[in-house]
Amino acid sequence: MASTEQLTFAIETFKRIHPVEFQRRFLSQDTRHDGRAFLQFRATHVVKGTIGTAQGSATVRIGNTTVVCGIKAEVSEPDVNTPDQGYLATNVDLSPICSANYRPGAPGDEAQVDSEHIFRLFGEVVDLKQLCIENDQAVWSLSADIVCLKSDGNVLDAAIIALMAAVEDLKLPQASLDPATGVVSADKAIETQLTLRKRLFPATFSLVDDAYLVADADDAEERLATATLLVVLDDQGRLANVWKRGAGTIDRPTIARCIAEAKNHQNAVSSALE
C-alpha cells in the first residue's frame, strides 16, 4: 500500500514540476493523460430548465467543466434604427469560483472576447423580430448570463451549448401594449417559444506543444496549447464559424481535418440537447 502511495505521489510531483514533459510522455505514446485518443471528446451532458426564476436556462457539463446559463426577459423600448426588433445580450462570467486561473473584479479579456463572439454567433440563431411586442413601442430584451461553475478546459464549447439549450428552453409570456396607458401587460398563462433559425454545434481543437492536435482539451492540455481552433456547425452540417486563436500555426489540411471531426461529433451534441 505504501509503495502505491509513493508512486502516486511521485507521479503528481513530476506532473507539477515538469508539466510539459509529463504531457509529452503520454502524447509521444499516441494517448493522452486521461486515457482519451487525440480526437476523442469528453461526454456532453445537458439539463434544461435548471433555474426556476429565469425565463430560459440550462446547465452543461463537459467532463469536469460545468457551465450554467440563465436568460431573463424584460420589456424595453426598441432602438430607433430597428423599431421592430428586440435585444439579446450575452455575458460570460469567468471568476475564481471556477478556476484559480481567473481573478476577481471586472471581466477579463477572455470573458469579454468570448461574450462578444457568442453574441455574434447567436445573431444568426435568434430572429430579433420575434421579440417585438408593439412596433416602435415595446420589445423584449433578453439578457443571457453564462456562468462557469467549474473550469477544466473547453469552457467556450460548454458556454455555446448552454446558451443554445437555454434559448430552446426560453418561454415568453404573451405580452400586449395598452395604447391608452402605454403599459405592457403579460399573461403568464399563455407562453410562447422562439422559432430559431438554426442550431449551433461547437467543437474546439487544440495544438499542444506545437505538434499534437487534440479535441476538447482539458485544463492541463490547454495550458500547453499554442493554438486553438473553434469549429461551429449548424443543424444542416454546414460550416457556421471557424475561429482560430493563439500564435501557433494550423495549416489548411489540419483545419479540414478539424471540420470533418466536428461533423462526427455533431450527433453527440445534438443528442445531448434533446
Side-chain angles (χ1 to χ4, degrees), residues 225-242:
T226 55
T228 62
L229 188 76
L230 169 68
V231 177
V232 183
L233 304 175
D234 66 13
D235 41 8
Q236 300 299 316
R238 295 171 299 201
L239 192 62
N241 181 252
V242 175

Side-chain angles (χ1 to χ4, degrees), residues 23-32 38 208 212 214:
Q23 297 294 337
R24 283 173 178 163
R25 296 279 180 97
F26 286 96
L27 295 170
S28 64
Q29 299 298 318
D30 294 329
T31 189
R32 296 158 75 176
F38 282 3
V208 177
Y212 305 99
V214 301

Side-chain angles (χ1 to χ4, degrees), residues 25 32 67 76 100 113 145 169 173 183 199 222 233 263:
R25 296 279 180 97
R32 296 158 75 176
V67 172
S76 64
V113 171
D145 290 312
D169 181 62
V183 175
R199 264 181 163 185
E222 279 190 345
L233 304 175
K263 291 181 178 180

Side-chain angles (χ1 to χ4, degrees), residues 46-48 168 199 201 267-274:
V46 179
V47 181
K48 298 178 181 179
E168 292 182 344
R199 264 181 163 185
F201 303 93
N267 287 338
V269 179
S270 179
S271 298
L273 282 168
E274 296 301 333

Side-chain angles (χ1 to χ4, degrees), residues 47-115:
V47 181
K48 298 178 181 179
T50 52
I51 304 176
T53 56
Q55 276 68 52
S57 62
T59 299
V60 172
R61 184 164 56 87
I62 299 177
N64 291 323
T65 294
T66 305
V67 172
V68 62
C69 177
I71 301 176
K72 293 291 291 182
E74 297 179 339
V75 176
S76 64
E77 294 183 0
D79 187 286
V80 293
N81 297 315
T82 53
D84 61 343
Q85 295 182 21
Y87 306 94
L88 172 63
T90 57
N91 176 61
V92 175
D93 184 2
L94 302 174
S95 72
I97 294 175
C98 70
S99 171
N101 296 331
Y102 305 113
R103 297 290 178 261
D109 291 342
E110 181 181 347
Q112 293 184 57
V113 171
D114 286 355
S115 296

Side-chain angles (χ1 to χ4, degrees), residues 88 129 135 166 196 198:
L88 172 63
K129 291 185 177 181
N135 192 25
L196 304 180
K198 63 178 72 172

